[in-house]
Amino acid sequence: MTILRKFLSIGECMIEMAPNSGGAWTMGFAGDTLNTAWYARACLPERSWQVDYFTRLGTDGFSDRIIGFLSDNGIGTAWIGRDPARRPGLYLIELDDGERRFTYWRENSAARRLADDETLLERVTGAADTIYLSGITLAILAPNRRDRLLALLAQARTRGQTIAFDPNIRTALWESGEAMRDAITRAAGAATVVLPSFDDERSAFGDETMEHCARRYVEAGARDVIVKNGAGPLAFVTAEASGVFDDFAAVDPVDTTGAGDAFNGAFLAGRAAGSSVVDAIGKAQALAAQVVGHRGALMPHEQIAALS
């Protein structure tokens, strides 16, 4: 009997409104950690990996539709809590030559309470082989709930679980720059793999180069760091190798939404399947290049399968 390994993504799923090619608005569901779970599900073999999502939703019809959407696309929902007093967040995407701008309504989203049930949180963080979260996951939590989640993740890493973290810096979500930098650094110390984006890191931490960024996270306690750099060369420092990866073709973006999340999902899937760091980066970069040619954050799984 095959024993399923488990990939768990923790964060906020939101209602997404994005313009289609005709200029009309279309509704979907997305969010950075959900996007990564989506691409991990597409890249991991179903016979040996289960992919789950942990968040908190409301009891309204849109929350029900999110649950159905996840289930229909092979992402487990058993850990998702429900809050009768709150609803999912909402965001709109505006595009300018493929680059995106977001407008959010998320101040009272149910996901802000995802870590309130401490018993559930302990069970969730103890139940996965790989746990993925982002800086947005941390930013939306109350400081004491954020601290508890980080402590549980540090314990999980000690037990041998893989903890993957993308700082995904969104300054407006944090109570202060100091709190943001402190929490992100502590999260890196609890993480096995850190997946920062250089532009964000340079702005928030003052890193002069990608290599400086990578070394800072290694010094914080991370084992492997992959510094993404949009469509440019990226840097990596890991337990097995370090260097710069620039072996990919230039693309004309249609919509860059979700490209970094796709990279994360594909990279983590590759590493989970035993690929070398360089091979996993190559596959992840190739998928991200396809995603920027697709409108919206989530490329259909059947299109992803056709690429392999």
Side-chain angles (χ1 to χ4, degrees):
M1 182 180 68
T2 301
I3 298 176
L4 286 175
R5 300 180 70 191
K6 297 179 180 179
F7 182 106
L8 174 72
S9 191
I10 302 176
E12 181 176 25
C13 176
M14 304 179 71
I15 299 167
E16 175 193 84
M17 299 298 295
N20 61 25
S21 57
W25 293 99
T26 58
M27 188 182 77
F29 305 115
D32 65 334
T33 53
L34 171 60
N35 303 345
T36 293
W38 176 273
Y39 290 106
R41 175 66 287 167
C43 296
L44 286 166
E46 291 188 21
R47 65 184 180 276
S48 56
W49 278 90
Q50 175 179 324
V51 175
D52 292 324
Y53 194 62
F54 175 49
T55 190
R56 190 169 178 85
L57 294 170
T59 56
D60 57 291
F62 285 108
S63 294
D64 291 342
R65 291 175 69 173
I66 290 171
I67 293 284
F69 171 76
L70 296 174
S71 298
D72 290 346
N73 286 283
I75 298 173
T77 61
W79 294 117
I80 295 177
R82 307 296 287 267
D83 187 330
R86 290 177 173 243
R87 302 289 184 266
L90 166 72
Y91 71 95
L92 271 64
I93 300 173
E94 297 176 276
L95 297 175
D96 183 7
D97 292 330
E99 291 301 321
R100 65 250 165 102
R101 294 192 302 273
F102 299 101
T103 302
Y104 292 97
W105 293 264
R106 71 193 315 173
E107 291 80 4
N108 295 304
S109 72
R112 289 182 174 269
R113 301 289 182 87
L114 69 84
D116 281 13
D117 185 336
E118 188 158 323
T119 300
L120 176 61
L121 193 64
E122 291 180 3
R123 291 175 59 204
V124 167
T125 54
D129 297 278
T130 297
I131 300 173
Y132 174 79
L133 75 158
S134 77
I136 292 176
T137 309
L138 299 177
I140 65 173
L141 302 179
N144 65 326
R145 296 293 85 205
R146 181 187 304 151
D147 292 344
R148 184 56 183 151
L149 175 57
L150 289 175
L152 290 171
L153 292 173
Q155 293 173 21
R157 181 179 176 182
T158 300
R159 291 192 298 264
Q161 295 162 256
T162 296
I163 310 300
F165 174 62
D166 182 342
N168 203 2
I169 295 170
R170 299 293 180 266
T171 305
L173 291 176
W174 292 89
E175 60 268 31
S176 71
E178 181 180 1
M180 176 186 71
R181 288 184 289 273
D182 174 69
I184 287 173
T185 301
R186 287 190 290 133
T192 320
V193 182
V194 179
L195 297 152
S197 295
F198 181 55
D199 282 349
D200 292 343
E201 302 292 327
R202 179 168 50 190
S203 176
F205 287 92
D207 298 317
E208 295 180 2
T209 67
M210 292 186 291
E211 290 77 11
H212 288 154
C213 177
R215 292 295 177 188
R216 174 171 54 80
Y217 280 121
V218 169
E219 289 171 3
R223 187 192 68 192
D224 300 338
V225 183
I226 315 299
V227 184
K228 295 169 290 183
N229 189 28
L234 60 80
F236 60 96
V237 176
T238 75
E240 63 187 68
S242 62
V244 173
F245 185 94
D246 59 2
D247 185 18
F248 48 87
V251 295
D252 293 323
V254 172
D255 180 358
T256 58
T257 309
D261 306 323
F263 179 98
N264 293 349
F267 175 81
L268 294 170
R271 293 292 279 161
S275 296
S276 70
V277 168
V278 172
D279 284 347
I281 289 173
K283 292 174 182 176
Q285 195 74 18
L287 177 58
Q290 294 295 319
V291 169
V292 299
H294 170 270
R295 289 185 179 273
L298 303 179
M299 177 180 283
H301 282 170
E302 57 270 21
Q303 291 186 29
I304 299 170
L307 298 174
S308 57

